[in-house]
């Protein structure tokens, strides 16, 4: 087992009992939880052993921010990607300190740079909390979670070891999809790429041969950018054939929706949202501010729907909603437009019906409407599974089977109260938390950094309150912030950003 003491407890505290918090997953969600745990514990002087369980070589990246391709940009502007809800300029200042002195809050940074930001911010938080918080990285996977003595929880690890913790945070990210849309002959083909962000998954695709992307969301946009080559045609097909809309180059401020939407049934809610969008377009010349104004209300609106209405939304409205809500960066949109104009990217509405081998080694893919596409490769871009255990993760499968977790509405994600898992009997007795994608069934919009960072802060407060018996407040904002608009100097008395970046919890 790879157990590396990144920042051990100081010798004077080694004999004291220190509560243990385990965070499963060290991607973006796990890094954000760890940042807030370190900083809040240090401020409150709560001794803590923090264990990060993740096989990845570097904390903070996960699949989303591991790519080094500079063309792949965030789909949220810099001003919306800070680790701190109360300091929206933090990411921009970090970019300034790291050589991007002209960056603005409206720019779109590369995904790899954002992964570096998360890793560096976590590194600084760990260093600053030394003396109060000890941190270990376990380079392995958690495969199970069960009750232990004294109300604690025991994690089983893939290498055969266990970790007993007073609280466990499951920051596992989206569940892997199972390609349920794909015919059996396609799944069995070595020309099918089911998980394109797995390291090395696209190596065999190379630079020649046409490619079919199944799905037309942001994953397909990213893959179209990566795979676009002169002489190659990239096809993209989905049920609606809708690509994400682009962000505005000069975005306007959000326009709040009219009051009372949460009390409406779906058919009336749909009409009111349509009116809100139309009115905003008439008044401001753009529909985007209307949807941006709805963002903070989505959770309450979703929770106000019945399960039948949610199912109707998923079947009728979700594709259109996603295309307008989850947008492309302007630069990505321009590149995609050029590829379509040159006929190197062709987008279809349809469904894959069958796939048969072609004599040249590729595939002939038949769509349900009778069209045929001859391609060298098929890539699954349909996105993650909705059920918490959709990808066959033994951790989530075990939690659901053993009754330590319960499926969320329509079987999407899991049921929680403010991120604390409900068990099979609807109780929230265990110190077991989650955030991000596993909460999608109850919140719908919960997979972007602006939502995840709020959840991470709330969970950190709840975990520390449970360890100390204090009330879990909602305003833990005593962290020093800097609100200047220029590129700040390195603050005196603390570790330099370069030291923090080199640290990066890589061990």
């Amino acid at each position: 087992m790879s157990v590396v003491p990144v920042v051990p407890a100081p010798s004077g505290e080694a004999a004291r009992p220190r509560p243990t918090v385990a965070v499963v997953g060290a991607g973006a969600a796990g890094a954000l939880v760890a940042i807030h745990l370190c900083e809040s514990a240090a401020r409150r002087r709560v001794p803590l052993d923090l264990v990060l369980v993740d096989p990845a070589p570097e904390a903070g990246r996960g699949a989303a921010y591991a790519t080094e391709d500079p063309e792949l940009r965030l789909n949220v502007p810099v001003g919306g990607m800070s680790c701190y809800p109360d300091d929206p300029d933090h990411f921009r200042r970090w970019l300034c300190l790291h050589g991007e002195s002209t960056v603005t809050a409206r720019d779109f940074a590369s995904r790899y740079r954002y992964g570096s930001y998360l890793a560096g911010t976590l590194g600084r938080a760990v260093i600053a909390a030394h003396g109060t918080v000890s941190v270990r990285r376990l380079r392995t996977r958690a495969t199970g979670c069960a009750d232990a003595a004294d109300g604690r929880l025991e994690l089983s690890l893939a290498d055969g070891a266990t970790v007993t913790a007073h609280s466990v945070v499951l920051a596992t990210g989206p569940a892997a999809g199972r390609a349920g849309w794909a015919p059996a002959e396609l799944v069995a083909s070595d020309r099918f790429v089911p998980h394109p962000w797995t390291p090395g998954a696209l190596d065999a695709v190379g630079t020649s041969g046409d490619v079919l992307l199944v799905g037309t969301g942001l994953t397909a946009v990213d893959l179209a950018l990566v795979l676009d080559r002169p002489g190659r045609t990239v096809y993209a097909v989905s049920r609606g054939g809708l690509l994400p809309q682009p962000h505005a180059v000069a975005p306007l401020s959000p326009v709040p929706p009219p009051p009372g939407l949460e009390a409406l049934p779906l058919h009336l809610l749909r009409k009111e949202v349509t009116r809100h969008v139309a009115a905003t377009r008439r008044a401001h010349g753009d529909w985007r501010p209307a949807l941006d104004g709805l963002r903070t209300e989505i959770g309450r609106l979703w929770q106000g729907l019945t399960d039948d209405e949610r199912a109707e939304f998923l079947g009728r409205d979700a594709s259109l909603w996603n295309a307008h809500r989850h947008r492309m960066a302007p630069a990505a949109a321009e590149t995609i437009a050029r590829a379509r104009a040159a006929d190197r990217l062709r987008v279809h509405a349809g469904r894959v019906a069958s796939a048969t081998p072609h004599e040249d080694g590729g595939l002939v893919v038949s769509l349900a409407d009778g069209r045929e596409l001859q391609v060298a490769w098929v890539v699954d871009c349909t996105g993650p599974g909705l059920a918490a255990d959709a990808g066959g993760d033994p951790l989530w499968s075990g939690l659901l089977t053993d009754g330590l977790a319960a499926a969320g509405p329509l079987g999407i994600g899991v049921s929680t109260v403010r991120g604390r898992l409900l068990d099979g009997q609807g109780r929230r007795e265990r110190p077991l938390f989650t955030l991000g994608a596993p909460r999608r069934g109850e919140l719908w919009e919960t997979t972007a950094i602006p939502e995840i960072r709020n959840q991470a802060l709330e969970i950190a407060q709840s975990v520390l309150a449970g360890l100390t018996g204090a009330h879990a407040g909602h305003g833990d904002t005593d962290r020093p912030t800097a609100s200047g608009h220029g590129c700040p100097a390195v603050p005196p008395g603390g570790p330099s950003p370069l030291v923090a970046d080199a640290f990066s919890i890589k061990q």
Side-chain angles (χ1 to χ4, degrees), residues 445-471:
E445 292 288 352
T446 180
T447 58
I449 293 297
E451 285 76 34
I452 293 174
R453 68 187 178 193
N454 290 329
Q455 296 172 23
L457 176 58
E458 183 175 38
I459 285 175
Q461 294 170 355
S462 296
V463 166
L464 293 176
L467 297 177
T468 62
H471 173 67

Side-chain angles (χ1 to χ4, degrees), residues 94 116 119-125 127 495-505:
W94 184 92
S116 299
T121 303
L122 176 55
R124 292 195 63 147
I127 292 171
S496 75
L498 294 178
V499 170
D501 287 349
F503 188 76
S504 292
I505 320 297

Side-chain angles (χ1 to χ4, degrees), residues 14-286:
R16 300 180 189 177
R18 295 164 62 91
T20 297
V21 176
V23 177
V24 179
L32 286 166
V33 171
I35 288 167
H36 289 297
L37 278 171
C38 286
E39 295 188 351
S40 294
R43 282 194 302 273
R44 302 178 189 189
R45 299 183 180 179
V46 178
L48 187 68
D49 288 333
L50 177 60
V51 182
L52 303 180
V53 182
D54 194 309
E58 186 177 4
R61 293 201 180 276
Y65 308 118
T67 175
E68 297 186 31
D69 192 317
E71 280 197 273
L72 299 185
R73 304 243 155 203
L74 301 172
N75 62 301
V76 175
V78 165
M81 296 294 287
S82 168
C83 290
Y84 304 103
D86 61 316
D87 187 7
D89 200 45
H90 188 265
F91 180 37
R92 189 195 68 82
R93 296 199 309 274
W94 184 92
L95 289 168
C96 283
L97 285 170
H98 292 77
E100 300 188 33
S101 58
T102 62
V103 69
T104 72
R106 294 181 173 183
D107 291 331
F108 292 80
S110 75
R111 298 212 327 233
Y112 191 79
R113 289 291 273 169
Y114 189 69
S116 299
Y117 163 69
L118 288 173
T121 303
L122 176 55
R124 292 195 63 147
V126 170
I127 292 171
H130 178 51
T132 303
V133 181
S134 68
V135 181
R136 291 183 297 157
R137 274 290 309 277
L138 306 187
R139 294 280 299 280
T140 184
R141 296 186 183 278
T143 57
C145 181
D147 290 323
D150 303 324
R152 293 180 294 173
L153 295 163
E154 183 176 88
L155 288 173
S156 301
L157 306 181
D159 57 13
T162 60
V163 172
T164 302
H166 295 80
S167 290
V168 172
V169 181
L170 304 177
T172 53
R178 282 183 169 171
W181 56 268
E185 60 269 24
L186 178 58
V187 174
S189 172
D190 60 2
R191 294 292 179 139
F192 179 54
V193 182
H195 305 297
W197 296 127
T198 300
L202 296 174
D203 291 351
V205 177
T207 60
S208 62
D210 294 346
V211 180
L212 171 62
L213 309 178
V214 181
T216 57
L218 289 170
T219 297
V221 168
D222 284 345
L223 267 295
L225 295 173
V226 169
L227 298 174
D228 182 32
R229 299 284 190 282
R232 162 182 277 173
T233 300
V234 176
Y235 301 93
V237 62
S238 70
R239 183 179 61 181
L242 298 175
L243 286 175
Q245 292 291 308
H247 280 282
V249 175
L252 302 174
S253 298
V255 175
L261 295 184
E262 67 276 5
L264 298 178
L266 178 61
H267 71 285
L268 294 180
L269 176 60
R270 187 184 292 117
K271 290 181 180 179
E272 289 302 316
V273 169
T274 301
R275 288 193 185 104
H276 172 54
V277 172
T280 301
R281 190 200 297 267
R282 288 194 300 270
H284 302 281
D286 190 357

